[in-house]
Structures are given as structure tokens and as C-alpha cells.
Amino acid sequence: MRGYRGIKYTLFIFCYFFWVVSAGLIAVGIYAKIAKEKDVVDTLTVDPALLLITVGSVMFLITFLGCFGALRNTICLLKSFLAILAAIFLLQIAAGIVGYVFTDTVMERTEKLMMKAITRYREDRDLENAIDFIQKKFQCCGIESHKDWSHNVYFQCSDTNPSLEACGVPFSCCIHLQNQTVLNTMCGYGMQQLEESSANENIFTLGCLENIIWWAKNNLLLVAGLTGGLLLLEVCMMSLAAAQISWIKKVERKTKESAAGSRSERKDSLWYPAFADFDDE
């Protein structure tokens, strides 16, 4: 009985925690979406708010199945939870293998996605903040170099561009001094017109893609630990769900055997009381 209680409530606590987290993601995404202007970009790949809503909704559905199924001892919900989690686990493994085998293709797709984000900079405040954070964090500018910002209409380096930021780069590309107290948002103006040696004195000229790959290689233990921890957590939750399903089936089988000789045998219910205890005898 104690063994079953441990399995049941451990699974319930795990699912309830991620259920609350997913609700928070949805709330933040909806708030960010409402706070935006109506004419902003509405694409999942480059819209952080829409991405939060989508990820949060999927997590909410999956954890609801596990949370309610564990609490109510419902086999159909637990099986659905187990099947979806197993499918996600296999997709993650497959994605890792595909990414390793087809590295060049993955890098090409990633570069195209990052270029799409650069061209839509200024159109979405959340996307703009995300790009600025990445460029500050990894001390980089653009994808391959700071010249990539010429693909954005505001920073395009041409004589016909009326923008004040023409031939410039965002302020997040700038090298900030340690004793600098006032942020100069115009520090990137005209940097694309300078030679790389001169631009290096004021901005980061290395691309973010190269710097992110370099960071991942130098922090391989951290990346592997986070990835392995996520996969291990999924395996634990699948194991708990499978163990609870097996225990419920065992009780159902014993109930059918004990009621086989009785004429008043009733149809077994698919639901059990929320706090039912199953003996392991």
C-alpha cells in the first residue's frame, strides 16, 4: 500500500508542478501578446510570445492528463499521458541524432531562421529584446558578422535608406566600458561603413552563431547535464505512470477473480476514488 501511495503521489506532485509552470507560461505569453501592437509579426518561429503560449498549452495538456490520471487512478488518462510523453522522448532522441548526422543542414536552417529574426527586428518588441539579450550575453553582432544587419530595412547600408540608423547596428552590439553609467543607444551608428579593424574598437564584429557554438563547446558538460537531466526526468515520469497502470490493472484482475463466482457481479468502473489505497497483497 505504501509503495502504491509513493508512486501515485510522486507522479502527481511532478505533474502538478509542471502544470503550474505551464499555466504561468501561458499567462506570460498572453500578457505579452495583448501588450503588443496589432500589426506586429505573428509567426511562431520568431514570436517569443506566441512560442510561450504554444509550449505552455502543450505542457498544460500533457501534465493535466498525468496529474488528473494519477489522482483519480484512471488508466485511460495515464495511458494517454504515457504515450504522449514517450512520443516526445523519442522525438527528442531522433532530433539529436538527426542534428548530429546532418550538422551542415541544421546549421543552414538555423542561419536562415536567425536571418529571418534580424530582418524583423524592430517589428516585435519581444523579438527585439531577445536579440539584444543574445548579442549582449554572447558579445556578438549579427549572424556571421556585423554586416548582416544590412539585411534589416532600418540598418540597410544604402544611399536610398532614409533611416537615421542606416549603415549602423543595434546598441547591443556595442562594447560597453566597465565604468560607463549612461547607456549610449546611438553607439552603433555608421559602424557598417568602417573597416573591421576600426569597428572592432567600438562594437563586437564576430557573429552570434559562431559565438554560441563556441560557448556550447566550452560548456559541453553543462549542456550535456541539462539535456540528460531533462531526459532522465521524462523517463522517471514515464516509469511512474507505467508502474501505476500496472498496479491498477493488478487490482482490477484480483477484483474480477474474487467476483467471478458471484451472480451480482457488476461492471468494473473506470474511475476509482481520489484517495483509494491499493494493497499489494
Side-chain angles (χ1 to χ4, degrees):
M1 183 172 64
R2 290 183 179 179
Y4 178 78
R5 281 183 176 179
I7 293 171
K8 173 179 178 176
Y9 290 113
T10 301
L11 179 60
F12 171 76
I13 290 171
F14 272 131
C15 291
Y16 182 77
F17 172 76
F18 287 106
W19 190 46
V20 173
V21 171
S22 63
L25 292 177
I26 295 173
V28 172
I30 292 175
Y31 174 79
K33 199 68 179 172
I34 294 174
K36 293 180 183 179
E37 299 177 4
K38 294 182 180 179
D39 58 343
V40 297
V41 60
D42 193 21
T43 306
L44 178 62
T45 53
V46 292
D47 189 348
L50 192 59
L51 186 63
L52 280 177
I53 295 173
T54 303
V55 173
S57 299
V58 173
M59 280 183 59
F60 188 88
L61 174 62
I62 296 172
T63 51
F64 171 80
L65 294 174
C67 189
F68 198 66
L71 185 64
R72 299 296 303 181
N73 309 304
T74 312
I75 290 182
C76 61
L77 294 182
L78 287 171
K79 282 185 175 180
S80 300
F81 171 75
L82 179 59
I84 295 173
L85 206 58
I88 293 175
F89 178 81
L90 293 175
L91 285 174
Q92 290 173 332
I93 299 296
I97 296 173
V98 170
Y100 180 79
V101 175
F102 302 99
T103 305
D104 294 337
T105 304
V106 172
M107 294 298 295
E108 183 180 348
R109 293 289 180 88
T110 304
E111 187 174 339
K112 287 182 179 179
L113 180 62
M114 293 176 70
M115 184 61 72
K116 187 177 180 181
I118 281 181
T119 57
R120 293 184 173 177
Y121 186 85
R122 297 287 193 223
E123 296 180 19
D124 187 333
R125 179 66 58 154
D126 292 333
L127 179 63
E128 182 179 332
N129 291 334
I131 293 175
D132 287 336
F133 172 78
I134 292 172
Q135 292 190 146
K136 289 177 182 178
K137 175 68 177 177
F138 295 99
Q139 298 184 345
C140 57
C141 190
I143 302 172
E144 295 181 350
S145 73
H146 66 292
K147 299 281 187 180
D148 292 327
W149 280 104
S150 192
H151 291 86
N152 184 281
V153 293
Y154 294 95
F155 301 100
Q156 186 179 12
C157 197
S158 65
D159 298 332
T160 58
N161 189 2
S163 173
L164 294 174
E165 297 176 305
C167 296
V169 295
F171 75 94
S172 53
C173 291
C174 298
I175 300 173
H176 299 291
L177 302 176
Q178 292 183 352
N179 58 350
Q180 186 176 358
T181 56
V182 180
L183 180 63
N184 180 15
T185 57
M186 301 173 64
C187 57
Y189 282 29
M191 288 298 162
Q192 293 186 50
Q193 294 177 316
L194 301 178
E195 295 292 334
E196 186 171 344
S197 57
S198 300
N200 269 328
E201 299 177 2
N202 299 296
I203 64 170
F204 301 106
T205 56
L206 288 177
C208 291
L209 185 59
E210 181 180 347
N211 276 20
I212 291 173
I213 294 173
W214 179 86
W215 180 88
K217 288 181 178 179
N218 282 271
N219 295 273
L220 193 59
L221 188 61
L222 175 62
V223 175
L226 292 174
T227 305
L230 177 62
L231 295 177
L232 182 61
L233 178 62
E234 292 175 2
V235 171
C236 289
M237 294 177 73
M238 287 189 292
S239 301
L240 290 171
Q244 187 172 359
I245 291 171
S246 176
W247 213 306
I248 294 173
K249 285 184 175 180
K250 179 181 177 182
V251 172
E252 284 185 341
R253 187 169 57 252
K254 287 185 177 181
T255 303
K256 289 180 180 179
E257 290 175 357
S258 62
S262 177
R263 294 182 179 179
S264 59
E265 181 179 359
R266 60 183 179 85
K267 185 178 179 180
D268 293 319
S269 175
L270 295 174
W271 297 82
Y272 290 89
F275 301 98
D277 292 327
F278 295 149
D279 295 327
D280 54 358
E281 296 178 0

